Amino acid sequence: MFAKKNLIAVAALATLAVSAQAQSSVTLYGNLDVAVAHTKNVGFTDNSVTGVESSILTESFFGLKGQEDLGGGLKAVFKLESFVNVDTGSVDGNFWGKNAYIGLAGDFGTVKLGNQESLFKTAQAAYNPFGTSVLSPVLTLSGIAGGVVSALSGSDASNLFGSWQNAIGYESNNYGGLTFAAQHSAREGNSGNVNGGATAASVNYSAGALGLSAVYGDVRSTSTAEAADLRQRAWLLGASYDFGVAKGFAQYGQDKFSDDLGSATAKAWQIGAIVPVTQAGGVHVAYGQVKLEDVKVKQFSLAYHHSLSKRTSAYAGLTTIDADADENQTTVAVGVRHAF
């Protein structure tokens, strides 16, 4: 009798556990990317550096994400993600600097509150053979343009391709390949320089081999740690098409910087492709440039990426940046990545 009662109790607990697992879940995941890299003419000087570097081909990070079924088609969702420097074991900036949000999802779409990757970053990554790595011309060159403007104006430009703090975001469901999103980083300052205050919206379309994207943003600052005098009004267009033998990518965008002293507009574009050469490997290539007034900077990137298993791969690549200096800055790297 006692044994029978124990069996009934165990069966009941197992049923509850299965039910709870079906209603909620938490997943640990991430990506680790590290390489031996040699950079010649660092900062367009005669200096050269050889070392172990993190996040050459892909971002290194780890995260937790989960959801809970609230009933009636409503779900609670959350995501926590942290960048990792695999070469040193350190973390850049805030610990959960990549993403840290909670939200609700349902027939209306998904609403999220907290630190979130910007719509510019997600669009840039989707229409780019190098995603969010340093080999991406649009990402790297836009950062250079922002640095030039900051140096000339004496005010820090916000990072359009980073994460937006104190943000509320919305993502629609998929309507026949069409999705749209909006994002706002709340202003948390009332005098002097502006802390926070950024708004963006995007539209994406995907149908078979074709993908299209458009993003627009009006940005002052995306972090409570930044105080920005500069205002940025930016837009970015993206397109991709899978031809079978290769997948092509193209992007074009502008970023207008303005303050009380005047304005300047950075114009950036890139084209690229991923070309499968074996069942396990492919060639990634991209070329792009940014023009800011009379300053023009160009970047060319090339890499071979080879899968060793479902989650582990090796790669070799190079990137060169031409800023009309005496010599280009060139990086050559050989690395490995593991996704989990």
Side-chain angles (χ1 to χ4, degrees), residues 13-311:
L13 288 173
T15 301
L16 289 173
V18 170
S19 176
Q21 187 175 15
Q23 293 178 5
S24 62
S25 64
V26 176
T27 303
L28 172 66
Y29 61 98
N31 181 74
L32 301 177
D33 181 315
V34 66
V36 176
H38 174 77
T39 301
K40 181 181 178 182
N41 299 317
V42 179
F44 307 103
T45 67
D46 292 332
N47 296 326
S48 296
V49 175
T50 300
V52 177
E53 301 291 343
S54 180
S55 303
I56 294 294
L57 185 66
T58 55
E59 281 186 338
S60 294
F61 73 97
F62 77 94
L64 292 166
K65 63 180 179 180
Q67 64 179 39
E68 181 185 14
D69 188 350
L70 302 178
L74 188 65
K75 295 186 297 183
V77 297
F78 80 89
K79 181 180 285 187
L80 298 170
E81 291 182 334
S82 176
F83 294 111
V84 178
N85 294 317
V86 182
D87 52 335
T88 63
S90 62
V91 176
D92 289 332
N94 296 336
F95 188 79
W96 299 116
K98 183 175 169 68
N99 279 296
Y101 65 77
I102 185 171
L104 293 174
D107 294 337
F108 53 86
T110 303
V111 177
K112 304 178 292 184
L113 294 173
N115 184 53
Q116 305 166 37
E117 289 179 297
S118 77
L119 298 180
F120 282 95
K121 180 179 180 179
T122 54
Q124 188 276 150
Y127 296 91
N128 185 334
F130 291 105
T132 55
S133 82
V134 295
L135 303 182
S136 163
V138 163
L139 190 64
T140 301
L141 299 178
S142 295
I144 292 174
V148 171
V149 171
S150 296
L152 294 176
S153 67
S155 298
D156 290 334
S158 295
N159 182 8
L160 294 178
F161 300 100
S163 296
W164 290 13
Q165 298 180 7
N166 303 309
I168 177 170
Y170 171 75
E171 296 177 358
S172 76
N173 292 325
N174 191 312
Y175 301 103
L178 182 68
T179 60
F180 52 92
Q183 197 172 55
H184 177 70
S185 175
R187 174 174 173 172
E188 296 194 353
N190 53 20
S191 64
N193 292 341
V194 176
N195 291 322
T199 302
S202 68
V203 178
N204 295 274
Y205 179 74
S206 179
L210 176 67
L212 300 170
S213 174
V215 188
Y216 175 81
D218 190 339
V219 178
R220 290 296 296 268
S221 176
T222 60
S223 166
T224 56
E226 296 177 359
D229 281 324
L230 285 172
R231 180 183 183 185
Q232 294 172 249
R233 282 165 287 185
W235 53 269
L236 178 67
L237 303 177
S240 66
Y241 193 86
D242 193 339
F243 296 93
V245 295
K247 185 173 183 178
F249 303 87
Q251 290 183 322
Y252 179 78
Q254 295 187 11
D255 189 356
K256 183 178 181 180
F257 303 85
S258 59
D259 60 15
D260 294 338
L261 300 178
S263 65
T265 300
K267 302 177 181 179
W269 61 267
Q270 78 168 37
I271 55 174
I274 297 177
V275 184
V277 292
T278 68
Q279 289 186 342
V283 173
H284 299 229
V285 60
Y287 176 81
Q289 73 172 35
V290 61
K291 184 178 181 182
L292 178 65
E293 302 301 322
D294 295 329
V295 178
K296 184 184 294 185
V297 184
K298 294 160 282 189
Q299 182 177 7
F300 172 77
S301 297
L302 178 68
Y304 175 71
H305 187 202
H306 188 86
S307 296
L308 302 174
S309 70
K310 185 177 180 179
R311 296 185 296 174

